[in-house]
């Protein structure tokens, strides 16, 4: 057996030579026609693979969705991987099959399952495991059908990195499973929810089986849930040497719940951490909503979590390892250290699937604009010293009839600190020195509307303090937003090109300084081809865009807003690639003008409105507002519920006689998800409400 | 969780296996070449090709396989060959200009010639014209699970006398090629070997697929995406097809490419069967039946409004477009059988022979 040494395949611990030969014997008896066909270790291993694959093949099925439509931003030529056949694994003899939510998306209630014999069955979705991206299907087997074969699960504790593995799927061909070979790369991935293999895992075998060399099932092949991989759906990883499987043992543990029709959700405790880097930062609570499991359990901003589920934790990542395998409804015991004295406090949180939508609470004051600091931080932690500015947040104007205005705060007041009034139970109330609008906003985001806050401020050298009751962020565009006196002639209207952008945006750029940075409004119109311009005439499109830009000059100057008019790369439609282009365009804008990061909004009309929403979702919390003019959201557009630090103001405007039902529907969906939704007056008349939109951008800075 | 019958079965199987082991005489097996010898032997017969490219970011290199003592090379027909000067570099560093002898556009296979001497080569299997309906069947001895080496100049990393790169894997599936490159469908429709190693790389096209016995079993294909799933395909053209394409180009044993139905021609009008599907408004509209024309073959077969088509002659159809493609792939007069979902069950319906386009049913 000299040639075994240095062989590419590690055979792992338990599989000794005896097993290899034993399985070879199976192969000899069942697969290979003759013993002298086996000549060499490599071919003997091949026989082992075949035997293991043959053992599990009867439980691997084909899964296809039926009756699900697809509307994408992409062109028809860009096939979505989700549209093709995928695989599944039998987990119950009476017709239970596990597949991935990749193959059976959330709007599908049934699927077509093809059994190894080639017979198709309709299967209904009975349960979903949203934490692991799996779905349980049930086939009603006709009377007299033999039970489906169920495979033995490898106990997770018996797995070891380096052992040989096979991947089986049935998408390529219904009559014969596809086979791939590799090793087990890791036994604990995706915060404890998956194991990893280097065998080829792709949309074609998602839902299929990860198999050991004894012909037992290790797990069900699956893309990682999006939030762990930080990618669209984990599908980008195929052909990369990385594949994941959810251990079958874990699936069998929750199988009765899925069979009973439950939807298992990832558990949320409802806190935000002070640092974004989970691997270096200690788990310090930065936000903690009162209506979250953590808030109900008595956790507070500033607490440091030191124990989770009986295990010591020192990093955010370790805490995630404790939380991720749990489902909503599970409980988790935590120990936190609190205050200067580092008092240890034990709390028990009951995880939930979803927090109630968060409605951003505000004082109703609009601070003076602040730009990014020299270090490139979006908002400076402290204002630069030595320029005469004292620490604090200076009020530019107050929202008409808002809490701050009613309490008597006026333009020019400089807020220096805020303090939550003592609540029930005599708990120490939170208090904070205010050095920037971002810090004040972060403090307010942890409170609920109705909370009374003592606002300490400086008015002409005199220190004052007034109690102000927080209100939900207003939805309307206020009347009487202050304007500047700048001459519109000083405003530049120019192309905003950048490397690799084929069709550059036009931009309206008022003058700006570091002390008076600009707000940003990206306005996406109808694609040129749709608007009636021949797509071949690039120069004509460019010219039309320039004319359109001129219409914004007045309003943009008065409110100090940079207006960007991007073009779609395909003249017929806005596409996903335009989102990346838009991000680069905004980077280019930051090089030319100082920008106030708290006043960035997207707007669009028609197809451009749908694009504006999708682009805002893709670019995240940086976009503080979206205006939809005569536009409806794509039906499949995600509307992520708001949470502290992630909300945006939405404006909806419609032409008279527009599809009011669809627009009302959008409005209800957005409001249910926690967004403040305002209505624009009718868009009839001269069309674009440039004045209203630019004053709205200024008002987005409200705190 | 209910009782798992396989637990008991698995245990029984193991005992049977151990019993078998007692009597098995493994020593009787004959030992073949080592993987190292197999790869070295294969790589000597594989050449690096350099030609046109560079425009539009396309690579200017690929791989070829020597298949005759006269210096014939089979490779993939691609834009790399759109050049007056194709350079061919052997495993030992010898460099020859190559001439394009011809191409088989359906298999996207090209034959080149170099004027070298003492050239190592793979002998292609004899290719009798395949029996009707047998085109594209895999070579004997290759099946799902067969271990293979892929030898190619992927990413052009091998230069001069450096040996081409070797990858290892298994044949993951043997299925008809349904693939596209950009918006263009691949013309070849026969079976290919899907591989579980990543061969869909620049420069891999035209490489050799060799089994662990050292036999040439296929030629690596170009970078294509699967039509159904959109994933990149790692695939190889089976050796028998390579041989047919080669002889086709040389004109020896000349095989006329069997006319293949063109599924990408005009979309087939399902209305000829009497089926009216819901309007095609979305990128992917599910093929729900909107109505059935009275007296049509669909009506006689019992199809109804609101049925959801899931398969046409066994081929899965997830969208209206897929239904039209599946029907277009059938010849006039072929029997048409569809599967639909009705009230939560699969119902099979026989629609009789496919009506000829241009005739009212």
């Amino acid at each position: 057996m000299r040639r075994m040494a240095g062989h590419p395949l590690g055979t792992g611990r338990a599989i000794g030579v005896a097993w290899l030969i034993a399985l070879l014997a199976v192969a000899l008896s069942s697969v290979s026609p003759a013993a002298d066909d086996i000549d060499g270790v490599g071919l003997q291993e091949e026989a082992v693979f075949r035997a293991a694959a043959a053992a599990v093949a009867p439980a691997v099925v084909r899964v296809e969705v039926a009756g699900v439509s697809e509307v994408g931003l992409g062109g028809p030529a860009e096939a979505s991987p989700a549209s093709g056949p995928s695989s599944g694994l039998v987990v119950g003899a009476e017709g239970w099959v596990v597949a991935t939510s990749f193959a059976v998306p959330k709007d599908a209630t049934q699927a077509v399952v093809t059994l190894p014999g080639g017979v198709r069955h309709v299967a209904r979705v009975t349960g979903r495991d949203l934490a692991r991206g799996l779905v349980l299907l049930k086939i009603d087997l006709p009377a007299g059908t033999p039970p489906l074969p169920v495979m033995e699960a490898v106990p997770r504790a018996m797995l070891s990195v380096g052992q040989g593995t096979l991947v089986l799927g049935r998408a390529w061909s219904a009559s014969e499973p596809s086979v791939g070979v590799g090793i087990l790369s890791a036994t604990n991935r995706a915060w404890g929810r998956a194991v990893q293999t280097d065998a080829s895992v792709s949309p074609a075998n998602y839902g299929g089986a990860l198999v050991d060399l004894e012909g037992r099932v290790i797990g069900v092949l699956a893309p990682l849930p999006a939030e762990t991989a930080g990618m669209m759906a984990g599908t980008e990883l195929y052909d990369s040497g990385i594949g994941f499987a959810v251990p079958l043992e874990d699936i069998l543990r929750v199988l009765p719940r899925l069979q009973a029709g439950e939807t298992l959700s990832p558990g949320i405790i409802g806190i935000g951490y002070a640092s974004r880097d989970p691997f270096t930062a200690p788990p310090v609570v930065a936000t903690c909503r009162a209506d979250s499991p953590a808030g109900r359990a008595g956790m507070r901003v500033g607490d440091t979590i030191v124990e989770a589920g009986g295990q010591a934790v020192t990093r955010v990542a370790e805490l995630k390892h404790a939380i991720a395998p749990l489902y909503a409804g599970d409980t988790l015991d935590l120990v936190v250290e609190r205050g200067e004295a580092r008092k240890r406090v034990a709390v028990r949180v009951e995880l939930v699937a979803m927090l109630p939508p968060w409605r951003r609470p505000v004082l109703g004051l609009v601070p003076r604009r602040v730009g990014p600091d020299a270090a490139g931080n979006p908002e400076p932690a402290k204002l630069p010293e030595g320029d005469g500015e004292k620490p604090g947040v200076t009020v530019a104007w107050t929202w008409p009839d808002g809490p701050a205005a009613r309490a008597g705060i006026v333009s020019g007041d400089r807020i220096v600190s805020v303090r939550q009034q003592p609540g029930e139970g005599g708990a120490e109330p939170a208090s904070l020195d205010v050095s920037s609008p971002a810090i004040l906003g972060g403090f307010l985001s942890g409170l609920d509307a109705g909370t009374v806050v003592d606002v300490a401020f400086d008015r002409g050298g005199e220190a004052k303090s007034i109690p102000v009751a927080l209100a939900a962020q207003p939805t309307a565009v206020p009347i009487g937003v202050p304007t500047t006196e700048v001459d519109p002639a000083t405003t530049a209207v120019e192309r905003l090109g950048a490397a690799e952008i084929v069709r550059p945006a036009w931009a309206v750029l008022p003058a700006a300084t570091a002390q008076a940075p600009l707000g940003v409004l990206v306005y996406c119109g109808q694609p040129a081809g749709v608007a009636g311009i021949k797509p071949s005439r690039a120069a004509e499109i460019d010219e039309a865009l320039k004319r359109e830009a001129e219409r914004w000059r007045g309003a943009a100057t008065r409110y100090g807003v940079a207006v960007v008019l991007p073009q779609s790369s395909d003249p017929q439609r806005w596409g996903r690639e335009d989102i990346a282009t838009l991000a680069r365009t905004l980077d280019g804008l930051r090089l030319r003008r100082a920008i106030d990061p708290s006043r960035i909004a997207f707007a669009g009309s028609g197809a451009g409105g749908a694009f504006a929403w999708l682009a805002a979702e893709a670019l995240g919390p940086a976009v503080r507002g979206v205006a939809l003019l005569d536009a409806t959201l794509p039906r499949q557009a995600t509307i992520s519920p708001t949470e502290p630090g992630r909300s945006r103001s939405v404006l909806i405007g419609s032409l008279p006689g527009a599809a009011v039902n669809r627009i009302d529907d959008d409005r209800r969906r957005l409001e249910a998800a926690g967004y403040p939704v305002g209505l624009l007056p009718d868009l009839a008349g001269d069309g674009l409400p440039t004045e209203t939109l630019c004053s709205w951008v200024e008002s987005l800075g409200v705190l | 969780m209910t009782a798992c019958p396989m637990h008991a079965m698995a245990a029984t199987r193991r005992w049977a296996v151990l019993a078998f082991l007692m009597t098995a005489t493994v020593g009787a097996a004959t030992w073949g070449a080592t993987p190292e010898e197999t790869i070295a032997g294969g790589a000597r017969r594989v050449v690096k090709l350099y030609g046109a490219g560079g425009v539009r970011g396309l690579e200017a290199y690929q791989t070829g396989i020597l298949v005759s003592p006269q210096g014939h090379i089979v490779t993939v027909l691609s834009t790399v060959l759109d050049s007056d000067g194709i350079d061919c570099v052997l495993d030992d560093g010898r460099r020859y200009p190559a001439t394009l002898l011809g191409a088989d556009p359906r298999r996207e296979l090209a034959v080149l010639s170099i004027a070298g001497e003492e050239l190592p080569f793979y002998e292609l299997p004899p290719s009798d014209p395949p029996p009707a309906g047998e085109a594209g069947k895999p070579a004997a001895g290759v099946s799902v699970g067969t271990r293979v080496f892929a030898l190619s100049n992927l990413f052009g990393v091998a230069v001069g006398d450096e040996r081409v790169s070797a990858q290892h894997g298994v044949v993951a599936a043997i299925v008809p090629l349904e693939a596209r490159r950009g918006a263009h469908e691949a013309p070849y429709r026969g079976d290919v070997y899907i591989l579980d190693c990543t061969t869909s790389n620049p420069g891999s096209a035209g490489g050799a697929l060799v089994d662990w016995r050292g036999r040439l079993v296929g030629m690596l294909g170009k970078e294509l995406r699967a039509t159904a799933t959109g994933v990149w395909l790692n695939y190889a053209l089976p050796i028998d097809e390579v041989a047919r394409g080669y002889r086709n180009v040389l004109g020896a044993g000349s095989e006329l490419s069997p006319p293949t139905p063109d599924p990408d021609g005009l979309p087939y009008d399902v209305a000829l069967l009497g089926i009216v599907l819901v309007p095609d408004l979305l990128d992917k509209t599910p093929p729900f039946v909107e109505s059935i024309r009275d007296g049509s073959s669909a009506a006689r077969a019992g199809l109804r409004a609101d049925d959801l088509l899931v398969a046409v002659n066994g081929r899965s159809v997830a969208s209206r477009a897929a239904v039209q493609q599946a029907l277009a792939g059938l010849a006039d007069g072929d029997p048409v059988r569809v599967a639909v979902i009705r009230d939560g069950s699969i119902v099979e319906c026989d629609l009789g022979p496919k009506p000829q386009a241009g005739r009212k049913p």
Side-chain angles (χ1 to χ4, degrees):
Chain A
M1 296 292 271
R2 173 184 57 85
R3 294 189 187 99
M4 280 293 277
H7 202 269
L9 188 88
T11 40
R13 32 92 245 170
I15 317 283
V17 174
W19 261 116
L20 194 75
I21 296 168
L23 278 153
L24 162 64
V26 173
L28 286 174
S29 59
S30 63
V31 179
S32 297
D36 63 1
D37 209 19
I38 307 301
D39 51 358
V41 174
L43 294 174
Q44 292 187 10
E45 282 184 345
E46 181 183 304
V48 171
F49 302 154
R50 287 175 188 275
V56 177
V60 177
V61 301
R62 177 187 253 208
V63 175
E64 288 156 284
V65 288
V68 175
S69 58
E70 207 171 277
V71 196
L73 266 178
E78 183 185 312
S80 147
S83 58
S86 188
S87 306
L89 180 72
V90 172
V91 291
E94 310 82 12
W96 300 100
V97 171
V98 163
T100 64
S101 45
F102 176 83
V104 188
K106 64 176 188 290
D107 50 349
T109 55
Q110 61 180 14
V112 176
V113 170
T114 310
L115 297 179
V119 181
R120 285 186 168 83
H121 292 275
V122 178
R124 60 175 199 282
V125 175
T126 64
R128 285 181 182 276
D129 182 339
L130 302 179
R132 286 158 180 79
L134 298 177
V135 53
L136 182 68
L137 304 170
K138 175 70 168 75
I139 306 169
D140 288 323
L141 293 171
T145 313
L148 303 182
V150 179
M151 293 299 137
E152 186 183 350
V154 184
R156 213 170 162 170
M158 304 265 297
L159 297 176
S160 59
V161 171
Q163 74 178 84
T165 57
L166 300 178
V167 288
L168 262 67
R170 203 176 280 276
W172 289 116
S173 157
S175 56
E176 186 178 29
S178 64
V179 176
V181 178
I183 60 167
L184 198 65
S185 310
T187 56
N188 192 3
R189 280 289 184 265
W191 311 114
R193 287 176 292 188
V195 298
Q196 185 185 326
T197 181
D198 74 342
S200 174
V201 178
S202 78
N205 57 15
Y206 289 156
L210 181 68
V211 176
D212 74 1
L213 294 187
E214 296 182 44
R216 301 178 301 172
V217 174
I218 297 171
V220 171
L221 304 171
L224 272 195
E227 85 277 12
T228 26
M231 298 185 188
M232 267 169 61
T235 57
E236 295 87 341
L237 288 173
Y238 81 88
D239 274 1
S240 66
I242 296 176
F244 296 101
V246 178
L248 181 57
E249 193 184 46
D250 294 355
I251 298 170
L252 295 179
R253 198 174 300 127
V254 293
L255 188 60
R257 293 174 67 184
L258 294 171
Q259 286 172 327
E262 274 192 66
T263 296
L264 305 177
S265 302
I268 298 173
I269 66 173
I271 56 175
Y273 306 107
S275 167
R276 283 188 189 173
D277 184 350
F279 300 106
T280 58
V284 176
V285 178
T287 61
C288 174
R289 293 171 56 186
D291 54 4
S292 69
R296 278 194 293 273
M299 288 174 69
R300 294 191 207 154
V301 171
D303 284 353
T304 303
I305 297 160
V306 294
E307 244 185 71
Q311 299 284 316
V313 293
T314 58
R315 300 281 182 267
V316 172
E318 291 166 354
L319 184 58
K320 284 184 138 183
H321 266 290
I323 296 171
L326 300 177
Y327 295 102
D330 292 348
T331 55
L332 177 64
D333 287 318
L334 299 172
V335 175
V336 302
E337 281 184 358
R338 181 170 296 165
E340 297 281 306
R342 302 183 138 229
K343 191 173 79 168
R344 287 168 73 90
V345 181
V347 292
R348 169 169 288 189
V349 290
E350 184 178 340
L351 281 66
V352 294
M354 177 186 281
L355 298 174
W358 174 72
R359 296 184 201 279
R360 187 179 155 215
V362 296
L363 293 163
L365 57 84
V366 183
R368 264 190 209 157
R369 290 190 185 178
V370 190
D373 66 11
N377 295 322
E379 288 186 63
K382 285 198 166 69
L383 289 176
E385 287 172 23
D387 62 354
E389 286 276 353
K390 290 180 184 157
V393 168
T394 306
V395 177
W397 52 283
T398 54
W399 202 280
D401 209 31
R406 283 203 303 273
I409 292 175
V410 298
S411 168
D413 287 351
R414 187 163 48 81
I415 315 291
V416 292
S417 74
V418 282
R419 176 189 164 91
Q420 184 184 351
Q421 284 198 343
E424 293 162 27
E428 174 104 358
S431 155
L432 187 76
D433 287 338
V434 174
S435 54
S436 80
I439 285 180
L440 177 55
F443 172 82
L444 296 176
S445 71
L447 305 177
D448 296 322
T451 307
V452 180
V453 174
D454 288 323
V455 179
F457 59 94
D458 176 290
R459 181 179 290 168
E462 189 185 345
K464 287 174 169 279
S465 177
I466 300 182
V468 181
L470 296 178
Q473 182 176 5
T475 59
V477 182
I479 312 247
V481 174
T483 56
T484 64
E485 302 286 322
V486 178
D487 178 3
T490 62
T491 293
V493 172
E494 60 188 50
R495 275 200 198 86
L496 198 54
E500 294 172 29
I501 297 180
V502 183
R503 297 168 180 272
W506 277 85
V508 186
L509 302 176
T513 62
Q515 283 71 42
L518 299 177
V520 177
L521 180 68
V522 175
Y523 180 81
C524 310
Q526 291 280 17
V530 178
I533 303 175
K534 273 203 182 139
S536 55
R537 301 195 170 160
E540 214 172 290
I541 297 173
D542 206 47
E543 197 54 41
L545 214 53
K546 185 182 176 213
R547 274 198 305 277
E548 175 130 348
E550 283 296 341
R551 296 170 62 194
W552 290 87
R553 182 188 287 270
T557 311
R558 274 190 292 285
Y559 294 100
V561 174
V563 178
V564 178
L565 307 176
Q567 302 191 52
S568 54
S569 59
D570 176 347
Q572 297 298 340
R573 61 202 298 170
W574 290 98
R576 276 197 199 284
E577 64 280 9
D578 293 322
I579 295 177
T581 306
L582 183 51
R584 284 205 299 274
T585 302
L586 290 176
D587 289 341
L589 175 63
R590 286 190 188 95
L591 294 177
R592 300 201 195 185
R593 292 288 191 278
I595 297 302
D596 178 354
S598 68
R599 290 175 172 90
I600 297 177
F602 289 2
S605 69
F611 172 73
W613 177 266
L614 294 169
E617 283 281 294
L619 299 183
V623 182
R624 303 298 173 92
V626 174
L628 307 166
L629 311 182
D630 192 30
T632 51
L633 297 181
R635 277 186 205 279
Q636 267 112 334
T638 51
I639 300 182
S640 340
T642 56
E643 54 185 66
R646 204 192 62 217
S647 176
R648 63 178 77 97
S649 165
V650 181
L651 279 185
I652 294 184
S654 58
L655 286 169
V660 178
N661 287 344
R662 280 293 298 278
I663 290 171
D664 278 354
D665 191 42
D666 285 347
R667 185 181 175 185
R668 271 193 299 274
R669 283 172 70 196
L670 288 163
E671 282 177 343
Y675 293 91
V677 183
L679 291 187
L680 276 172
D682 275 351
L683 299 176
D686 70 337
L688 263 185
T690 56
E691 197 79 18
T692 311
L693 287 176
C694 287
S695 65
W696 169 66
V697 170
E698 159 63 16
S699 77
L700 291 177
V702 66
L703 288 175
Chain B
M1 183 65 208
T2 50
C4 298
M6 281 308 286
H7 284 222
M9 272 179 64
T12 315
R13 191 181 67 219
R14 266 182 232 152
W15 283 114
V17 161
L18 287 173
F20 186 92
L21 175 63
M22 307 296 170
T23 57
T25 51
V26 176
T30 53
W31 300 96
T34 64
E36 294 82 353
E37 289 158 0
T38 303
I39 290 169
R44 289 197 302 129
R45 298 163 165 88
V46 170
V47 299
K48 305 174 274 275
L49 297 172
Y50 302 90
V55 259
R56 291 175 298 150
L58 294 173
E59 62 274 11
Y61 52 88
Q62 61 186 35
T63 311
I65 310 166
L66 283 159
V67 292
S68 83
Q70 307 89 31
H72 288 171
I73 294 164
V74 291
T75 185
V76 163
L77 179 60
S78 78
T79 53
V80 175
L81 309 179
D82 291 348
S83 169
D84 292 337
I86 304 166
D87 255 4
C88 169
V89 178
L90 267 56
D91 188 48
D92 56 13
R94 282 185 283 168
R95 178 179 288 266
Y96 298 98
T99 320
L100 180 64
L101 291 185
D104 175 342
R106 192 172 74 82
R107 295 182 178 88
E108 296 194 275
L109 175 145
V111 180
L112 308 176
S113 172
I114 56 172
E117 283 171 8
E118 290 175 35
L119 299 168
F121 67 97
Y122 276 114
E123 190 141 12
L124 290 174
S127 65
D128 303 321
E134 289 288 308
K137 287 290 172 235
V142 176
S143 58
V144 170
T146 296
R147 298 192 93 181
V148 287
F149 295 110
L151 308 172
S152 77
N153 191 16
L154 72 164
F155 288 104
V157 290
V159 292
D161 64 354
E162 289 175 19
R163 181 177 288 176
V164 292
S165 304
Q167 294 168 278
H168 78 106
V170 299
V171 173
I174 303 176
V175 290
L177 184 67
E178 291 182 4
R180 61 174 69 244
R181 184 186 179 90
H184 304 288
E185 296 276 339
Y188 176 73
R189 297 275 155 175
D191 278 350
V192 293
Y193 302 142
I194 304 288
L195 308 175
D196 80 334
C197 52
T198 310
T199 58
S200 180
N201 283 316
S204 285
L209 191 73
V210 179
D211 73 4
W212 279 48
R213 291 181 171 85
R215 300 179 304 185
L216 179 68
V217 296
M219 179 177 79
L220 300 179
K222 49 170 71 172
E223 292 173 86
L224 292 175
R225 279 180 189 269
T227 310
T229 57
V231 297
W232 291 101
L233 281 174
N234 306 305
Y235 77 97
L237 190 66
I239 193 62
D240 286 348
E241 282 296 305
V242 173
R244 283 182 199 122
Y246 170 66
R247 299 213 160 82
N248 204 17
V249 171
L250 293 192
S254 82
E255 170 215 342
L256 291 174
S257 292
T260 43
D262 177 13
D264 307 311
L266 291 175
Y268 185 77
D269 189 2
V270 293
L272 289 173
L273 291 163
I275 303 173
V276 180
L277 295 176
V278 294
D280 197 2
L281 298 175
L282 308 166
D283 287 356
K284 184 185 153 198
T285 305
F288 280 106
V289 174
E290 181 140 293
S291 60
I292 295 293
R293 217 176 18 255
D294 289 342
S296 63
S297 49
R300 283 192 297 277
L303 276 179
R304 297 184 204 157
D306 293 336
D307 283 351
L308 174 62
L309 269 68
V310 292
V312 172
N313 285 19
R315 176 172 162 172
S316 297
V317 288
S319 67
R320 262 194 64 133
V323 172
Q324 286 168 336
Q325 247 186 38
L327 284 169
L330 303 176
D332 292 342
D334 278 359
V336 179
R337 192 171 169 79
V338 301
V340 300
I341 294 184
R342 182 186 300 160
D343 303 329
S345 297
I346 298 273
V347 179
E348 303 261 353
C349 295
D350 234 318
L351 294 177
K354 176 183 163 186
Q356 205 177 329
R359 277 202 199 153
K360 288 286 164 202

